[in-house]
Amino acid sequence: DAKTTQPPSMDCAEGRAANLPCNHSTISGNEYVYWYRQIHSQGPQYIIHGLKNNETNEMASLIITEDRKSSTLILPHATLRDTAVYYCIVRVGNFGNEKLTFGTGTRLTIIP
Amino acid sequence: DTAVSQTPKYLVTQMGNDKSIKCEQNLGHDTMYWYKQDSKKFLKIMFSYNNKELIINETVPNRFSPKSPDKAHLNLHINSLELGDSAVYFCASSQVNRVGETQYFGPGTRLLVL
């Protein structure tokens, strides 16, 4: 079972920042928060991950609360190509058993 | 140049047939996976192999048999196909010897059982 809760859908205007929330209140101390997205009919694509510190890469930023019970994925300047289902995943298992459990995700629609 | 490739992209077949889906990765990763995405879009892991050894088997019917001839390939053979096997099957690979390593997914194989 997925250990995260996300809103089923969100809209964002093109060019604005898209902020996607995720609750993971039962996260363990050594579990990471991962974000993937799935653009229609394609395979899931890795976006970013983090443990406790905020992270940024060329695609997005990840803000994790101090208690680690929730996080926010930020797409700073959303484009139409960012329309996709976004999955927040808490990584389970240890080395050699890297199972990703996908929930229902958030369907993000970028509005022109 | 494709990192994780799958063949075929589409597969339409009759109930009861046996079919195989192939997956290859050129990333040099040690671990490969098969996921199934059903009509409701739920994406669930089926198997994972690390250096050709089975690591994860998520209570998948034994009609499904993964085969890893080498660590760059993980094929999925399905016997006696059933209507409920219709889904999109995704292959993925990752390197597991680093904390927080990520998975790279293939484009998917769309299986339709009639």
Side-chain angles (χ1 to χ4, degrees):
Chain A
D1 293 332
K3 298 172 65 173
T4 63
T5 304
Q6 299 176 252
S9 64
M10 292 180 63
D11 292 340
C12 178
E14 188 179 15
R16 303 294 293 270
N19 297 286
L20 292 92
C22 179
N23 288 322
H24 30 80
S25 58
T26 60
I27 191 170
S28 299
N30 61 351
E31 288 181 318
Y32 285 73
V33 179
Y34 281 78
W35 283 84
Y36 282 75
R37 72 180 181 184
Q38 188 173 23
I39 297 171
H40 180 62
S41 298
Q42 298 181 19
Q45 177 190 25
Y46 166 79
I47 301 173
I48 199 168
H49 73 275
L51 181 62
K52 61 176 94 173
N53 297 322
N54 297 337
E55 302 287 345
T56 296
N57 63 21
E58 64 279 3
M59 289 182 68
S61 294
L62 175 60
I63 308 298
I64 302 175
T65 58
E66 191 169 346
D67 63 9
R68 303 212 322 127
K69 292 185 177 181
S70 65
S71 60
T72 301
L73 177 74
I74 301 172
L75 307 178
H77 304 287
T79 71
L80 297 178
R81 287 180 291 183
D82 292 322
T83 292
V85 178
Y86 287 76
Y87 297 98
C88 170
I89 300 164
V90 169
R91 172 189 171 190
V92 299
N94 49 24
F95 290 117
N97 189 15
E98 191 178 334
K99 183 168 69 173
L100 292 177
T101 301
F102 288 82
T104 53
T106 295
R107 181 172 297 278
L108 175 67
T109 302
I110 306 302
I111 311 296
Chain B
D1 292 321
T2 303
V4 182
S5 60
Q6 297 179 226
T7 55
K9 186 173 182 179
Y10 298 96
L11 183 55
V12 181
T13 187
Q14 298 288 331
M15 230 174 18
N17 284 349
D18 303 338
K19 291 294 180 184
S20 292
I21 306 172
K22 295 185 177 181
C23 178
E24 176 181 3
Q25 55 97 2
N26 62 6
L27 298 167
H29 289 166
D30 290 335
T31 303
M32 296 184 71
Y33 310 78
W34 278 108
Y35 287 82
K36 177 181 179 181
Q37 187 166 40
D38 61 24
S39 58
K40 295 182 179 179
K41 302 299 184 182
F42 290 116
L43 191 63
K44 294 183 179 179
I45 190 167
M46 301 173 68
F47 301 102
S48 80
Y49 270 71
N50 180 268
N51 279 320
K52 302 194 297 176
E53 291 191 20
L54 181 65
I55 301 297
I56 297 174
N57 183 338
E58 288 288 307
T59 60
V60 177
N62 57 16
R63 297 183 296 105
F64 291 78
S65 53
K67 287 184 170 53
S68 182
D70 54 63
K71 73 174 191 177
H73 296 84
L74 181 62
N75 304 323
L76 184 64
H77 188 75
I78 314 171
N79 290 325
S80 303
L81 277 156
E82 301 178 356
L83 296 176
D85 297 332
S86 295
V88 183
Y89 292 84
F90 289 101
C91 177
S93 73
S94 73
Q95 187 72 9
V96 297
N97 288 326
R98 292 169 54 192
V99 172
E101 198 62 27
T102 63
Q103 294 187 16
Y104 297 83
F105 286 78
T109 295
R110 285 140 189 86
L111 171 64
L112 177 59
V113 182
L114 302 174

